[in-house]
Amino acid sequence: MCGIGGFVGDGFSKEALAFILRNVCEKLSHRGPDSMGVFIKPGVAFASTRLAIRDLEKGQQPLEKEEIVLIFNGEIYNTDDLRNRCKSTCWKTESDTEVVLEVYRHFGEKGFQMLSGMFSFAIWDEKKSSLYLVRDRWGEKPLYYTETKEGVAFASELGGLTPWQHLNWEWDEKDLWTFLKYSYIPSPFSGWKNVKKLQPGCYLHWELGSKKLKRYHFPKISLNQQSPEVLLQTIRQAVHQCAVSDKPVGVFLSGGLDSSTIVSLLKEVKGTFPVYSIDWKEKDFSESSYQKLLCQSLDLPQKVIYCTSEFMTQYFDYIVSLYGEPFGDESMIPTHCIARQAKEEVDVVLTGDGADEFFHGYERYFFNHSSAEYTDTFSPIDQSTWELIFKKEFHHQTFRSQLDYSTEWGIERDKTLRDRSLRDMLSYLPDDILTKIDRATMGVGLEARAPFLLPEVTAIALCSSLDQLQDFSKICGKKLLRDAVNKILPETILLRKKQGFGVPLGKWFQDDLHLWMKERLMYGALNQLGWFSKKGLEILCQFPLRYSRAIFNLLVLESWIGKNNCLQNNLYKSKFFVN
């Protein structure tokens, strides 16, 4: 696992490139604290910071072979199969980085769809004078890029772009309003004009100033469904693949169906390993009884981490800064809390991410109203709240929409089955759930892996029938998955309803954090914007239980603006650096 960044274009001397790349590495060092490497030639500059997980001695980057240079962030799980396909290769390492390079050498762009894993990488092909930026199917690993007249710059995080001082940083107001509405900014947008997120399942081909954005992965839906037994065996194999590591491995356990499945199957591979769980002093949010039940039944050591209001105030601004763009999923707080503790003992954790989107785990998918009502109902700031807190001239602002995959990419869809969940797979999952787990873990140099997102598992999930996907009258969804794991999990966990990774924000804002919250909302950087009604913000402060999610998003925006010092002479434009 690594942080990557670089530039292809003109206008920099070799000395300037070397200086800038050192700064790029410093900005991304938390993603790869074990080593740093650079590659510099006229017009090409690559940098990598490495978190060594596999082939600790020989897996250094950038990797160069026969005028092809690669920097790679992530893990490839089907390396054995890919090595067999590249039969003529004389392998020099055991790293998956070399496997990716050889797949490109043998198969070119067609090889991208052969990769099973989580990844973002950059390839410079000297013979073709071509740059390829590639991101995995579901967006587990991030990649940002921007074009200027000098060339194209890219990085794993926005901070990795800031050393290129020729870039003009200017926020996009529509992106900020979209963030307040949805708690995240959908790809390809980033909160910044001219800076984009590479979309999942896509690659950017840049050649002599000509750019082409292409999709290599097209999710397909059919009703050629598999049995629960086949699904269980497929998930078992995925867990086994994700468990391969030369460093210690643990698991994040919430106590729900998904993470409990991963823990139970990892037990078959590892025997024993640490299990990390979040708990709360606020018992209404605790899942400790389910966590303890599973760990005791499997005889596994459980590490319980309490996330408190004190932790939030201590680390809030730092956590917000990790994202580079406004990001407001409140579970980012406990996720970072548990990651900090886990990193003290392990370098890799497995998670249950992705199962809800693929197996219809959210009850909201069956909300029987229009798309507009659906969006407003589940938004942290619905229309009435928007009109309460914004001045009148901002009541009818427009937002960024999620990708219209049906027209943009021609992806197969079925309105009666998966319209909302497929949209989540392409936007909410990568831009919220996977962004959160990536920044929370990589912010402390910890690698998170999600077995439910391996292609073999998602292919089965996309072929599930409606009857297999949900039965909310009985046990709230994911029937196929429950049927698959009914012999390996305690019945109490099998039959429980989804609780969600809740945070007691309302209680904190009402009690311990009330003064902290009110001071930041009423007297912080939000005042510089001129968007908000003072009276409306005061009402939010008076009713924190009701408006907790809206308050959290506003606090994130306040922290983000304050950190970036975005205003200059009352204009929404400034050249500055994000952290």
Side-chain angles (χ1 to χ4, degrees):
M1 193 66 66
C2 304
I4 62 173
F7 175 79
V8 174
D10 300 318
F12 294 94
S13 67
K14 185 175 181 180
E15 292 74 17
L17 290 174
F19 175 78
I20 294 171
L21 287 186
R22 284 196 297 271
N23 289 330
V24 171
C25 288
E26 289 176 4
K27 292 289 186 181
L28 300 175
S29 60
H30 53 276
R31 298 187 67 91
D34 295 329
S35 65
M36 299 179 183
V38 300
F39 172 86
I40 301 174
K41 289 186 69 173
V44 183
F46 278 11
S48 173
T49 64
R50 186 185 183 210
L51 173 62
I53 300 297
R54 298 169 66 177
D55 199 350
L56 307 184
E57 295 183 1
K58 298 180 181 179
Q60 301 299 320
Q61 297 188 45
L63 182 63
E64 182 181 8
K65 186 181 291 188
E66 296 184 9
E67 298 186 280
I68 298 172
V69 185
L70 170 71
I71 46 178
F72 170 78
N73 169 32
E75 294 289 336
I76 302 300
Y77 303 128
N78 62 333
T79 52
D80 290 343
D81 175 61
L82 294 174
R83 285 174 180 270
N84 290 331
R85 294 195 188 192
C86 302
K87 293 181 180 180
S88 61
T89 300
C90 179
W91 300 97
K92 297 180 180 180
T93 76
E94 296 296 324
S95 70
D96 44 5
T97 303
E98 186 179 14
V99 171
V100 174
L101 190 149
E102 288 297 336
V103 166
Y104 172 75
R105 286 185 64 239
H106 282 75
F107 303 101
E109 299 173 32
K110 294 181 179 179
F112 300 154
Q113 62 187 325
M114 298 164 57
L115 303 173
S116 173
M118 54 177 183
F119 53 81
S120 62
F121 59 85
I123 291 175
W124 172 248
D125 190 324
E126 182 71 28
K127 294 179 180 179
K128 296 180 179 179
S129 297
S130 291
L131 171 71
Y132 294 92
L133 303 178
V134 189
R135 195 176 180 199
D136 61 60
R137 287 172 172 82
W138 305 115
E140 292 184 73
K141 294 292 104 181
L143 195 59
Y144 295 84
Y145 68 95
T146 182
E147 278 192 293
T148 68
K149 62 182 180 180
E150 291 84 3
V152 57
F154 62 92
S156 295
E157 296 180 7
L158 282 160
L161 291 175
T162 59
W164 303 101
Q165 297 183 27
H166 66 295
L167 303 183
N168 183 34
W169 291 90
E170 182 181 356
W171 78 34
D172 191 311
E173 293 178 1
K174 184 179 286 189
D175 286 1
L176 304 192
W177 295 326
T178 301
F179 154 72
L180 289 174
K181 190 73 174 178
Y182 302 121
S183 299
Y184 68 93
I185 299 172
S187 297
F189 309 105
S190 71
W192 305 95
K193 290 183 178 179
N194 305 318
V195 180
K196 294 185 177 181
K197 291 180 282 198
L198 184 61
Q199 291 157 280
C202 295
Y203 68 96
L204 180 74
H205 180 201
W206 191 91
E207 182 177 356
L208 300 176
S210 175
K211 179 187 70 175
K212 293 182 180 180
L213 181 64
K214 300 181 181 180
R215 175 168 284 275
Y216 69 87
H217 176 63
F218 297 84
K220 294 187 179 297
I221 297 172
S222 73
L223 294 181
N224 184 24
Q225 58 200 39
Q226 296 286 353
S227 68
E229 293 76 19
V230 171
L231 175 60
L232 176 59
Q233 184 58 27
T234 304
I235 299 173
R236 174 178 282 115
Q237 292 170 353
V239 170
H240 287 202
Q241 287 178 295
C242 290
V244 176
S245 171
D246 294 334
K247 291 286 191 72
V249 177
V251 181
F252 285 171
L253 173 66
S254 68
L257 178 72
D258 310 331
S259 60
S260 297
T261 296
I262 302 303
V263 171
S264 297
L265 294 176
L266 186 61
K267 172 72 175 179
E268 301 174 358
V269 188
K270 292 290 185 181
T272 188
F273 49 87
V275 177
Y276 301 95
S277 302
I278 281 287
D279 202 1
W280 310 90
K281 295 178 181 178
E282 296 78 11
K283 295 304 178 185
D284 289 345
F285 291 83
S286 176
E287 297 182 75
S288 61
S289 62
Y290 301 103
Q291 299 163 359
K292 291 177 181 178
L293 171 64
L294 184 70
C295 289
Q296 289 175 358
S297 68
L298 296 175
D299 191 25
L300 289 172
Q302 183 189 14
K303 314 285 183 171
V304 179
I305 297 99
Y306 282 87
C307 187
T308 64
S309 58
E310 292 81 7
F311 178 87
M312 178 168 166
T313 54
Q314 181 179 357
Y315 290 102
F316 181 74
D317 291 310
Y318 173 71
I319 293 172
V320 170
S321 73
L322 285 174
Y323 293 81
E325 60 185 281
F327 182 83
D329 185 327
E330 60 266 28
S331 63
M332 64 201 274
I333 304 299
T335 305
H336 185 75
C337 180
I338 194 174
R340 292 179 71 91
Q341 294 296 315
K343 178 58 180 177
E344 294 182 1
E345 299 178 319
V346 301
D347 294 282
V348 178
V349 291
L350 271 57
T351 78
D353 291 314
D356 283 318
E357 289 76 16
F358 280 92
F359 292 98
H360 266 59
Y362 299 127
E363 190 169 359
R364 68 174 187 261
Y365 291 151
F366 302 91
F367 181 78
N368 191 25
H369 293 281
S370 68
S371 295
E373 290 175 300
Y374 173 83
T375 299
D376 205 47
T377 297
F378 297 103
S379 169
I381 302 182
D382 60 18
Q383 188 60 35
S384 62
T385 306
W386 188 275
E387 293 176 1
L388 172 68
I389 63 177
F390 273 85
K391 294 179 180 178
K392 287 185 179 180
E393 57 264 37
F394 297 100
H395 282 185
H396 300 289
Q397 299 303 328
T398 57
F399 314 106
R400 299 291 189 191
S401 61
Q402 293 177 330
L403 173 70
D404 187 354
Y405 50 86
S406 61
T407 58
E408 187 81 10
W409 300 114
I411 292 174
E412 183 181 343
R413 64 189 289 186
D414 184 334
K415 291 183 179 180
T416 64
L417 261 177
R418 286 198 171 272
D419 186 49
R420 287 169 178 163
S421 64
L422 184 55
R423 203 171 280 272
D424 270 0
M425 291 173 205
L426 298 174
S427 185
Y428 174 70
L429 178 63
D431 295 327
D432 185 308
I433 299 300
L434 298 179
T435 296
K436 173 188 65 182
I437 193 67
D438 175 80
R439 302 306 194 281
T441 54
M442 294 306 294
V444 296
L446 177 69
E447 177 175 314
R449 301 176 179 177
F452 281 112
L453 293 179
L454 266 65
E456 297 81 4
V457 179
T458 59
I460 293 177
L462 287 171
C463 294
S464 302
S465 71
L466 184 61
D467 289 340
Q468 289 180 310
L469 292 171
Q470 62 90 24
D471 186 356
F472 284 105
S473 65
K474 296 181 180 179
I475 52 176
C476 194
K478 292 192 275 196
K479 184 177 185 299
L480 176 60
L481 180 58
R482 293 178 193 274
D483 288 346
V485 300
N486 63 5
K487 294 182 180 179
I488 67 170
L489 294 182
E491 186 177 43
T492 303
I493 294 176
L494 274 172
L495 299 181
R496 66 171 301 207
K497 284 201 171 188
K498 181 175 179 60
Q499 181 169 327
F501 199 3
V503 181
L505 290 176
K507 181 171 174 50
W508 288 355
F509 291 153
Q510 181 174 264
D511 300 325
D512 299 355
L513 303 187
H514 186 75
L515 292 178
W516 176 83
M517 172 267 294
K518 186 173 182 179
E519 181 176 353
R520 298 192 69 149
L521 287 191
M522 302 302 299
Y523 309 108
L526 293 180
N527 284 321
Q528 302 175 60
L529 293 170
W531 295 353
F532 299 103
S533 159
K534 199 88 169 178
K535 182 178 179 181
L537 294 179
E538 287 177 349
I539 293 175
L540 258 63
C541 294
Q542 292 173 12
F543 301 98
L545 289 174
R546 176 179 176 183
Y547 296 111
S548 62
R549 293 180 65 206
I551 290 171
F552 187 80
N553 278 9
L554 289 168
L555 288 170
V556 167
L557 184 60
E558 191 277 335
S559 176
W560 184 82
I561 291 171
K563 188 71 173 179
N564 291 301
N565 192 23
C566 292
L567 291 174
Q568 182 179 355
N569 298 324
N570 296 319
L571 296 176
Y572 303 141
K573 183 175 181 180
S574 175
K575 289 185 177 181
F576 56 94
F577 297 139
V578 292
N579 191 17

